[in-house]
Amino acid sequence: MKHKSSPVLLVVLVLGIMLQGFMQRKLIFPQWERDFNPGKGKIYTNAMSPDQILAVLAGFREITAGILWVKADSFFDNGNYDAILPLIRLVTMLDPSEIDVYATGMWHIGYNFTDEEQRSDRRYLPSALALGKEGTRQNPDTYELFFEEGWLWYHKIDDDYDNAVKWFLKAQTKPDMLPARKNLLGMAYQRTGEVDKSIDTYYRLYADSEKKYDTDQAFQNHQNRDTLESNLDNMLVRSVQRGYQAQVRHDKLDGYDVYPPFDVGFSLKATVVESRVIRFEGTWNVLPVGTRIRAVVRDADFPGAHGAELEWDAKDAVNLDPPRDQTFMQEQLFVKNRRFNKKVDMSKDPTMYPFAKDKYVLEFYYNPRSAPPHIQDKFGWSGEGMTDKNFLNTEVRKGQRVVFATLTLTKDQILRYGEWVDKTPVVKTSNYVDAAPTGTTADDVILKIPSLRSMSHTKG
């Protein structure tokens, strides 16, 4: 027996389909674009389909995001970092209010992708910054992602400190910011060379901490107040001893700790000992331990590269797959006994260091603004107490005296191709002198400390 379709049912079905299409185009998608699209109005080609959007508005968005983040946590535990990136991106698209996912994603992208020697892949840093900026747009009422953005500039990039100050200032406008985290703004001002602003910041925060302690004598309030008082006292003393206040008064620096400027005596030799393996040797005539000289090996035409850094904040779009044909290696050369000797092995990470171009620049850079306090006590915040006969530079970082030198190598030299198969490539600064052989390796492990016993005396 045949059943005839009801004309009324067909009409209702057609009207339902038309209504669904109207709602998707006129109501559902605009609401998702306004409230949930990570670009705040930017349309992405990989945006969710209508049925996914419908599920989101039906209340499954947070549940789905939570399940995916639990899965991402298992990948963290297993060290499967590559698998985490798409999950981070998907979770932030499903639930842009997931602050912890944004913060963890920034840390993961900026810190976790490393080579065999635990050097991070700095090609990912623009993506980490872009993810953080997206997070601040999606969560403008809390301090956390503004602070994380500033921390990435302050700690990981360790350069362009104006950006650290900018983001820390934005974080401090949020009422939920933790008091202890506000103290970093004072340190960031020191790295921009704005010592007066650093002092003013500590005065302001100290006054706030005293008011807080008067109303609530909890241990953390007491500790924060004492920390700020110590920071303020140290800044006032250092601003005098390092000659900063004298410079403000346009006085001479005679008699201050930064005078006369100390010649650091930088020199360097780079030897390609094997394919993709470079040994850096050099001198740094500063005895106290604490110097780390930045070494960079990069494509000569790396986009946005200049002065041992990149234009890190070069984009707003979150791209989790940086160009695979670019090479940018950054390492710290630790100085001991006035010399450094570091072998940098890039042979085990060909995807991170593809060496696909024909020419490479080696850059060496030292900036007192990121030096430890005992070094700054002599060099000052901006290098007033430092000089170098060959490589003092006042242009690569405006308003600062830094040490900066460059050398070049070719692709064939780094990979030991062609004529360099049996010939060791060596490039060095004109003032480099090989260290005299000692006949022992003790210098590599023993720190030499001068004492009165090692000094010659004459009877008077």
Side-chain angles (χ1 to χ4, degrees), residues 3 5 36 69 102 142 161 197 205 214 252 259 267-268 298 318 320 332 344 367 369 386 434:
H3 296 278
S5 300
F36 304 121
W69 193 234
Y102 274 113
T142 182
Y161 300 115
K197 289 186 178 180
L205 295 177
D214 288 341
K252 294 182 179 180
Y259 188 85
S267 69
L268 178 113
R298 64 168 176 84
V318 181
L320 301 182
Q332 300 293 327
V344 176
N367 181 0
R369 287 191 179 171
M386 178 188 74
D434 284 306

mmCIF file of all heavy atoms in Angstrom, residues 3 5 36 69 102 142 161 197 205 214 252 259 267-268 298 318 320 332 344 367 369 386 434:
data_model
loop_
_atom_site.group_PDB
_atom_site.id
_atom_site.type_symbol
_atom_site.label_atom_id
_atom_site.label_comp_id
_atom_site.label_asym_id
_atom_site.label_seq_id
_atom_site.Cartn_x
_atom_site.Cartn_y
_atom_site.Cartn_z
ATOM 1 N N HIS A 3 1.941 5.101 0.440
ATOM 2 C CA HIS A 3 1.592 6.243 1.301
ATOM 3 C C HIS A 3 1.903 7.529 0.542
ATOM 4 O O HIS A 3 3.014 7.718 0.035
ATOM 5 C CB HIS A 3 2.413 6.202 2.591
ATOM 6 C CG HIS A 3 2.107 4.990 3.432
ATOM 7 N ND1 HIS A 3 1.025 4.936 4.284
ATOM 8 C CD2 HIS A 3 2.730 3.780 3.527
ATOM 9 C CE1 HIS A 3 0.995 3.758 4.887
ATOM 10 N NE2 HIS A 3 2.027 3.036 4.430
ATOM 11 N N SER A 5 2.704 11.406 0.257
ATOM 12 C CA SER A 5 3.284 12.462 1.091
ATOM 13 C C SER A 5 2.295 13.586 1.270
ATOM 14 O O SER A 5 1.595 13.983 0.313
ATOM 15 C CB SER A 5 4.568 13.008 0.446
ATOM 16 O OG SER A 5 5.513 11.970 0.298
ATOM 17 N N PHE A 36 33.061 35.268 18.555
ATOM 18 C CA PHE A 36 33.951 34.122 18.691
ATOM 19 C C PHE A 36 35.071 34.052 17.676
ATOM 20 O O PHE A 36 36.028 33.316 17.867
ATOM 21 C CB PHE A 36 33.150 32.819 18.626
ATOM 22 C CG PHE A 36 32.051 32.755 19.636
ATOM 23 C CD1 PHE A 36 30.729 32.595 19.245
ATOM 24 C CD2 PHE A 36 32.331 32.867 20.983
ATOM 25 C CE1 PHE A 36 29.720 32.539 20.188
ATOM 26 C CE2 PHE A 36 31.327 32.807 21.929
ATOM 27 C CZ PHE A 36 30.012 32.647 21.533
ATOM 28 N N TRP A 69 41.407 20.263 25.076
ATOM 29 C CA TRP A 69 42.526 20.723 25.893
ATOM 30 C C TRP A 69 43.035 19.606 26.801
ATOM 31 O O TRP A 69 44.231 19.525 27.072
ATOM 32 C CB TRP A 69 42.115 21.936 26.706
ATOM 33 C CG TRP A 69 43.281 22.637 27.327
ATOM 34 C CD1 TRP A 69 43.467 22.946 28.628
ATOM 35 C CD2 TRP A 69 44.455 23.115 26.654
ATOM 36 N NE1 TRP A 69 44.661 23.592 28.814
ATOM 37 C CE2 TRP A 69 45.294 23.717 27.607
ATOM 38 C CE3 TRP A 69 44.862 23.110 25.320
ATOM 39 C CZ2 TRP A 69 46.504 24.284 27.302
ATOM 40 C CZ3 TRP A 69 46.082 23.678 24.996
ATOM 41 C CH2 TRP A 69 46.894 24.248 25.978
ATOM 42 N N TYR A 102 45.522 30.365 25.846
ATOM 43 C CA TYR A 102 46.330 31.393 25.173
ATOM 44 C C TYR A 102 47.708 31.512 25.822
ATOM 45 O O TYR A 102 48.736 31.537 25.131
ATOM 46 C CB TYR A 102 45.615 32.745 25.227
ATOM 47 C CG TYR A 102 44.624 32.982 24.118
ATOM 48 C CD1 TYR A 102 43.268 33.071 24.387
ATOM 49 C CD2 TYR A 102 45.043 33.120 22.796
ATOM 50 C CE1 TYR A 102 42.335 33.297 23.379
ATOM 51 C CE2 TYR A 102 44.125 33.351 21.778
ATOM 52 C CZ TYR A 102 42.771 33.435 22.073
ATOM 53 O OH TYR A 102 41.871 33.649 21.071
ATOM 54 N N THR A 142 40.947 41.435 31.577
ATOM 55 C CA THR A 142 41.838 40.827 32.561
ATOM 56 C C THR A 142 43.284 41.095 32.169
ATOM 57 O O THR A 142 43.601 41.260 30.987
ATOM 58 C CB THR A 142 41.584 39.313 32.671
ATOM 59 O OG1 THR A 142 42.446 38.762 33.679
ATOM 60 C CG2 THR A 142 41.840 38.616 31.352
ATOM 61 N N TYR A 161 62.917 46.613 24.546
ATOM 62 C CA TYR A 161 62.263 46.650 25.854
ATOM 63 C C TYR A 161 61.123 47.656 25.922
ATOM 64 O O TYR A 161 60.289 47.591 26.833
ATOM 65 C CB TYR A 161 63.302 46.946 26.933
ATOM 66 C CG TYR A 161 64.385 45.910 26.998
ATOM 67 C CD1 TYR A 161 65.713 46.228 26.697
ATOM 68 C CD2 TYR A 161 64.090 44.595 27.341
ATOM 69 C CE1 TYR A 161 66.705 45.261 26.753
ATOM 70 C CE2 TYR A 161 65.076 43.627 27.396
ATOM 71 C CZ TYR A 161 66.388 43.968 27.100
ATOM 72 O OH TYR A 161 67.368 43.009 27.153
ATOM 73 N N LYS A 197 61.868 56.852 35.520
ATOM 74 C CA LYS A 197 60.549 56.207 35.494
ATOM 75 C C LYS A 197 60.546 54.936 36.329
ATOM 76 O O LYS A 197 59.525 54.586 36.936
ATOM 77 C CB LYS A 197 60.128 55.919 34.056
ATOM 78 C CG LYS A 197 59.771 57.160 33.251
ATOM 79 C CD LYS A 197 59.233 56.792 31.880
ATOM 80 C CE LYS A 197 58.837 58.043 31.103
ATOM 81 N NZ LYS A 197 58.297 57.718 29.749
ATOM 82 N N LEU A 205 54.356 52.055 43.521
ATOM 83 C CA LEU A 205 53.970 50.721 43.963
ATOM 84 C C LEU A 205 54.215 50.531 45.462
ATOM 85 O O LEU A 205 53.448 49.834 46.146
ATOM 86 C CB LEU A 205 54.728 49.667 43.163
ATOM 87 C CG LEU A 205 54.408 49.610 41.664
ATOM 88 C CD1 LEU A 205 55.284 48.570 40.974
ATOM 89 C CD2 LEU A 205 52.930 49.300 41.437
ATOM 90 N N ASP A 214 48.351 48.092 55.410
ATOM 91 C CA ASP A 214 47.638 48.706 56.534
ATOM 92 C C ASP A 214 46.241 48.124 56.702
ATOM 93 O O ASP A 214 45.731 48.018 57.827
ATOM 94 C CB ASP A 214 47.541 50.222 56.333
ATOM 95 C CG ASP A 214 48.885 50.913 56.541
ATOM 96 O OD1 ASP A 214 49.768 50.295 57.175
ATOM 97 O OD2 ASP A 214 49.050 52.048 56.053
ATOM 98 N N LYS A 252 80.286 65.883 35.126
ATOM 99 C CA LYS A 252 81.248 64.896 34.651
ATOM 100 C C LYS A 252 81.104 63.607 35.460
ATOM 101 O O LYS A 252 80.634 63.609 36.596
ATOM 102 C CB LYS A 252 82.664 65.453 34.787
ATOM 103 C CG LYS A 252 82.953 66.641 33.877
ATOM 104 C CD LYS A 252 84.401 67.111 34.037
ATOM 105 C CE LYS A 252 84.696 68.278 33.114
ATOM 106 N NZ LYS A 252 86.107 68.744 33.248
ATOM 107 N N TYR A 259 83.428 55.362 35.624
ATOM 108 C CA TYR A 259 84.531 56.118 35.031
ATOM 109 C C TYR A 259 85.868 55.625 35.590
ATOM 110 O O TYR A 259 85.995 55.399 36.789
ATOM 111 C CB TYR A 259 84.372 57.624 35.312
ATOM 112 C CG TYR A 259 85.363 58.473 34.574
ATOM 113 C CD1 TYR A 259 85.117 58.887 33.269
ATOM 114 C CD2 TYR A 259 86.571 58.851 35.171
ATOM 115 C CE1 TYR A 259 86.044 59.664 32.588
ATOM 116 C CE2 TYR A 259 87.497 59.622 34.495
ATOM 117 C CZ TYR A 259 87.232 60.021 33.201
ATOM 118 O OH TYR A 259 88.143 60.775 32.516
ATOM 119 N N SER A 267 87.252 40.080 20.797
ATOM 120 C CA SER A 267 87.759 39.531 19.531
ATOM 121 C C SER A 267 87.119 38.169 19.330
ATOM 122 O O SER A 267 86.616 37.564 20.292
ATOM 123 C CB SER A 267 89.292 39.397 19.554
ATOM 124 O OG SER A 267 89.699 38.374 20.450
ATOM 125 N N LEU A 268 87.165 37.682 18.085
ATOM 126 C CA LEU A 268 86.430 36.443 17.822
ATOM 127 C C LEU A 268 86.991 35.694 16.636
ATOM 128 O O LEU A 268 87.461 36.290 15.660
ATOM 129 C CB LEU A 268 84.958 36.763 17.561
ATOM 130 C CG LEU A 268 84.117 35.526 17.230
ATOM 131 C CD1 LEU A 268 83.119 35.231 18.315
ATOM 132 C CD2 LEU A 268 83.457 35.676 15.892
ATOM 133 N N ARG A 298 72.452 33.601 10.763
ATOM 134 C CA ARG A 298 71.193 33.752 10.034
ATOM 135 C C ARG A 298 71.430 33.921 8.546
ATOM 136 O O ARG A 298 72.543 34.221 8.101
ATOM 137 C CB ARG A 298 70.423 34.961 10.557
ATOM 138 C CG ARG A 298 71.142 36.292 10.336
ATOM 139 C CD ARG A 298 70.213 37.473 10.603
ATOM 140 N NE ARG A 298 70.875 38.772 10.489
ATOM 141 C CZ ARG A 298 71.059 39.436 9.353
ATOM 142 N NH1 ARG A 298 70.649 38.908 8.202
ATOM 143 N NH2 ARG A 298 71.667 40.609 9.347
ATOM 144 N N VAL A 318 48.064 34.666 13.244
ATOM 145 C CA VAL A 318 48.743 33.569 13.922
ATOM 146 C C VAL A 318 49.086 32.500 12.896
ATOM 147 O O VAL A 318 48.212 31.794 12.388
ATOM 148 C CB VAL A 318 47.864 32.965 15.032
ATOM 149 C CG1 VAL A 318 48.604 31.829 15.734
ATOM 150 C CG2 VAL A 318 47.464 34.042 16.028
ATOM 151 N N LEU A 320 51.182 29.146 12.511
ATOM 152 C CA LEU A 320 51.863 28.135 13.313
ATOM 153 C C LEU A 320 52.869 27.327 12.514
ATOM 154 O O LEU A 320 53.425 26.355 13.024
ATOM 155 C CB LEU A 320 50.828 27.193 13.942
ATOM 156 C CG LEU A 320 49.800 27.889 14.839
ATOM 157 C CD1 LEU A 320 48.852 26.866 15.446
ATOM 158 C CD2 LEU A 320 50.486 28.689 15.929
ATOM 159 N N GLN A 332 74.033 31.930 23.400
ATOM 160 C CA GLN A 332 74.762 32.782 24.316
ATOM 161 C C GLN A 332 76.163 32.214 24.524
ATOM 162 O O GLN A 332 76.315 31.024 24.826
ATOM 163 C CB GLN A 332 74.039 32.859 25.666
ATOM 164 C CG GLN A 332 72.633 33.406 25.592
ATOM 165 C CD GLN A 332 72.578 34.864 25.202
ATOM 166 O OE1 GLN A 332 73.473 35.640 25.537
ATOM 167 N NE2 GLN A 332 71.537 35.252 24.491
ATOM 168 N N VAL A 344 78.860 25.131 18.589
ATOM 169 C CA VAL A 344 77.431 25.153 18.304
ATOM 170 C C VAL A 344 77.145 24.124 17.212
ATOM 171 O O VAL A 344 77.575 24.279 16.068
ATOM 172 C CB VAL A 344 76.977 26.557 17.854
ATOM 173 C CG1 VAL A 344 75.508 26.542 17.466
ATOM 174 C CG2 VAL A 344 77.232 27.571 18.961
ATOM 175 N N ASN A 367 74.878 43.868 25.170
ATOM 176 C CA ASN A 367 74.154 45.049 25.610
ATOM 177 C C ASN A 367 74.103 45.058 27.142
ATOM 178 O O ASN A 367 73.511 44.162 27.751
ATOM 179 C CB ASN A 367 72.729 45.018 25.045
ATOM 180 C CG ASN A 367 71.926 46.239 25.451
ATOM 181 O OD1 ASN A 367 72.415 47.123 26.149
ATOM 182 N ND2 ASN A 367 70.687 46.295 25.003
ATOM 183 N N ARG A 369 72.310 46.546 29.153
ATOM 184 C CA ARG A 369 70.983 46.677 29.754
ATOM 185 C C ARG A 369 70.396 45.339 30.206
ATOM 186 O O ARG A 369 69.520 45.317 31.058
ATOM 187 C CB ARG A 369 70.038 47.382 28.786
ATOM 188 C CG ARG A 369 70.340 48.864 28.682
ATOM 189 C CD ARG A 369 69.275 49.627 27.956
ATOM 190 N NE ARG A 369 69.594 51.052 27.911
ATOM 191 C CZ ARG A 369 68.935 51.949 27.194
ATOM 192 N NH1 ARG A 369 67.910 51.552 26.438
ATOM 193 N NH2 ARG A 369 69.292 53.216 27.213
ATOM 194 N N MET A 386 81.630 51.365 29.616
ATOM 195 C CA MET A 386 82.181 50.323 28.750
ATOM 196 C C MET A 386 82.651 50.925 27.430
ATOM 197 O O MET A 386 82.037 51.839 26.886
ATOM 198 C CB MET A 386 81.096 49.267 28.463
ATOM 199 C CG MET A 386 81.521 48.158 27.529
ATOM 200 S SD MET A 386 80.111 47.091 27.074
ATOM 201 C CE MET A 386 79.223 48.180 25.939
ATOM 202 N N ASP A 434 95.246 33.855 18.676
ATOM 203 C CA ASP A 434 95.031 32.544 19.285
ATOM 204 C C ASP A 434 95.655 32.492 20.668
ATOM 205 O O ASP A 434 96.745 33.031 20.904
ATOM 206 C CB ASP A 434 95.634 31.446 18.412
ATOM 207 C CG ASP A 434 94.767 31.156 17.189
ATOM 208 O OD1 ASP A 434 93.575 30.882 17.368
ATOM 209 O OD2 ASP A 434 95.307 31.210 16.063
#
